[in-house]
Amino acid sequence: MQFRYSFRLYPDTGQQRALARAFGCARVVFNDAVRAREDARKAGQPFPTAGELSTRLITQAKRTVGRSWLGEVSAVVLQQSLRDAETAYRNFFGSLKGARKGPKIGPPRFKSRKDARQSIRFTANARWNITESGRLNLPKIGAVKVKWSRTLPTTPSSVTVVKDAGGRYFASFVIDTDPAADATRMPETDQTIGIDLGLTHFVALSDGEKIDSPRFLRRAEKKLKKAQRELSRKQKGSKNREKARLKVARAHAQVTDARREFHHQLSTKLISENQGIAVEDLSVAGLARTRLAKSVHDAGWASFISMLEYKAARYGRTLVKIGRFTPTSQTCSTCGVKDGPKPLTVREWTCTACGTVHDRDTNAAINVKKAAGLAVPACGAPVRPGAIPAQREETGSHGFPTEPRAA
């Protein structure tokens, strides 16, 4: 399996200029590749191959006056930009043919220097390395200071340098892990749990425990409104407007980071304590079109379930999703009688058949567990994980027993 380990970078002024140069060169090569393919499409000619584009847009372009500055950055960065363009077209055509899962995607678009996020990628043949002092040495950029929050488990295969909308720099390492070795790091357990996701309580567990929703966006709304109001009053194109834009972006980044850290801590706790986990397959996109849209987005259910998925696959746990139309809130978990739909204002109800008084959320979590077939201990249940894409893991401590933190 492949995972991403992200660390904060602190480049100095010269290194920031070198990174900006690399971002710009990678962006230009990507746009040139998209333009070359669009010109071929309009002319009714076959698309140029990756080798032809590499020769024309990198090797030959460096010898021209207009593109001579491409030689100031690592050639690997430019080659990876061409690969990104090729991948974007492959995903687009796969989406058109129905071979690619997920929503339909459009053709690649030109990148702008004003894009909120800029990135470049270095593979192993770029000869980047981590110095003895713990710095990340990048070709034609230099040794950049890294804030190491934990130890890399294995040697990374590539590193992506990212600049986000708030002007922060990150190094994202791709790590290949062994699921069998990762499974030994988790404590053995035969516990199973059912999860009911909500807004008042972020999760209600089948054992009766409830975890409140932190509502990070709601708590930061006053600060965000003030920053956005200041931004709207600045003249477009001025330096003060750019400063105000950074202030807004950093405020949003704080909300995003706090939510992600909460999701990581909770998902890690559930994965480490339970062998089997059951959760509803919610239609987040549909719920986001209701009057509860802001609260649904603030909760971040999709991100949380995604974390449960890849952590369960990595550490040998079982995650079961039940259908979104299963009447978990309408069924009595004691006698199994369906009592009918109830408005959201009803938080407790009494079963008309057996007289049991139910807490709405806890009852739903128990029914989720039963519907997933986890009402009996799931120890030793077969786990057949599929292909797991590289994930951006948590930024801080993840709660697993590891070696002492060091670069």
Side-chain angles (χ1 to χ4, degrees):
M1 288 186 190
Q2 286 188 333
F3 295 91
R4 288 192 180 273
Y5 280 60
S6 294
F7 303 91
R8 183 78 181 269
L9 293 181
Y10 293 92
D12 57 30
T13 304
Q15 292 168 347
Q16 290 181 19
R17 286 197 295 265
L19 285 170
R21 191 182 306 116
F23 292 145
C25 291
R27 182 176 62 249
V28 167
V29 170
F30 181 91
N31 291 343
D32 288 346
V34 173
R35 188 178 295 109
R37 290 205 168 194
E38 286 300 305
D39 292 343
R41 181 187 64 83
K42 292 178 181 178
Q45 300 174 353
F47 279 171
T49 63
E52 294 173 351
L53 290 177
S54 177
T55 302
R56 188 201 317 173
L57 302 181
I58 298 178
T59 307
Q60 296 178 356
K62 289 180 180 180
R63 302 168 184 168
T64 64
V65 177
R67 291 284 192 269
S68 60
W69 34 264
L70 290 176
E72 299 177 3
V73 302
S74 172
V76 174
V77 169
L78 307 181
Q79 292 289 348
Q80 293 301 311
S81 187
L82 283 182
R83 285 178 177 266
D84 290 341
E86 184 179 359
T87 301
Y89 272 103
R90 185 165 55 250
N91 291 338
F92 168 58
F93 291 127
S95 180
L96 284 180
K97 298 175 182 177
R100 185 180 186 274
K101 296 181 180 180
K104 297 291 184 180
I105 60 174
R109 296 180 295 180
F110 293 113
K111 293 185 177 181
S112 171
R113 62 183 179 87
K114 296 182 180 180
D115 288 343
R117 183 181 184 275
Q118 304 283 345
S119 66
I120 52 175
R121 184 167 61 254
F122 297 89
T123 53
N125 57 351
R127 297 181 181 179
W128 60 271
N129 66 296
I130 300 174
T131 65
E132 294 182 357
S133 60
R135 289 178 175 253
L136 177 61
N137 192 16
L138 300 172
K140 297 190 177 181
I141 293 175
V144 185
K145 181 181 177 181
V146 185
K147 181 65 174 180
W148 299 100
S149 57
R150 53 193 167 156
T151 306
L152 291 173
T154 59
T155 302
S157 58
S158 68
V159 59
T160 302
V161 179
V162 180
K163 180 183 179 182
D164 67 1
R168 303 179 302 174
Y169 294 86
F170 294 91
S172 179
F173 298 92
V174 175
I175 302 294
D176 291 308
T177 63
D178 182 10
D182 289 334
T184 60
R185 297 169 54 192
M186 300 299 294
E188 294 185 3
T189 179
D190 59 356
Q191 299 295 320
T192 59
I193 201 76
I195 299 175
D196 179 65
L197 299 172
L199 296 177
T200 303
H201 297 94
F202 182 74
V203 293
L205 305 180
S206 56
D207 60 3
E209 182 182 359
K210 291 184 178 181
I211 299 175
D212 291 335
S213 179
R215 300 183 181 182
F216 296 105
L217 180 61
R218 296 285 187 182
R219 286 159 48 187
E221 271 187 325
K222 185 176 181 181
K223 179 180 179 180
L224 290 170
K225 286 180 180 179
K226 181 180 178 181
Q228 190 66 50
R229 186 167 56 248
E230 293 176 354
L231 173 63
S232 66
R233 293 172 177 172
K234 298 296 187 290
Q235 184 179 358
K236 290 186 178 180
S238 65
K239 292 185 177 180
N240 284 336
R241 184 178 179 87
E242 177 60 22
K243 293 177 183 177
R245 187 200 65 79
L246 282 176
K247 189 175 181 180
V248 172
R250 287 166 182 164
H252 279 287
Q254 288 179 354
V255 174
T256 302
D257 291 345
R259 183 188 298 115
R260 184 187 300 115
E261 182 68 15
F262 169 73
H263 287 169
H264 272 298
Q265 290 181 358
L266 180 57
S267 60
T268 297
K269 178 177 181 292
L270 293 174
I271 288 293
S272 62
E273 294 177 354
N274 300 279
Q275 174 65 33
I277 299 175
V279 66
E280 282 185 291
D281 184 18
L282 297 175
S283 175
V284 178
L287 292 170
R289 291 193 293 267
T290 66
R291 61 186 178 87
L292 300 174
K294 183 182 287 188
S295 296
V296 169
H297 286 304
D298 191 11
W301 292 330
S303 174
F304 175 70
I305 294 176
S306 176
M307 291 180 186
L308 285 176
E309 283 182 325
Y310 83 79
K311 290 182 182 181
R314 180 179 184 181
Y315 296 105
R317 303 307 203 197
T318 303
L319 178 70
V320 181
K321 290 184 180 180
I322 69 168
R324 64 189 61 167
F325 299 109
T326 305
T328 56
S329 297
Q330 305 176 22
T331 305
C332 174
S333 60
T334 303
C335 64
V337 173
K338 185 177 178 181
D339 203 25
K342 303 167 185 63
L344 291 176
T345 54
V346 177
R347 309 316 301 173
E348 282 190 1
W349 57 281
T350 304
C351 178
T352 56
C354 64
T356 306
V357 179
H358 292 293
D359 178 275
R360 181 191 183 105
D361 299 330
T362 304
N363 177 74
I366 296 174
N367 286 329
V368 168
K369 179 179 177 179
K370 288 184 176 181
L374 297 179
V376 295
C379 184
V383 178
R384 285 173 279 185
I388 304 296
Q391 300 280 344
R392 175 176 177 178
E393 281 219 300
E394 58 268 40
T395 56
S397 174
H398 48 52
F400 295 144
T402 59
E403 298 82 7
R405 291 181 178 178

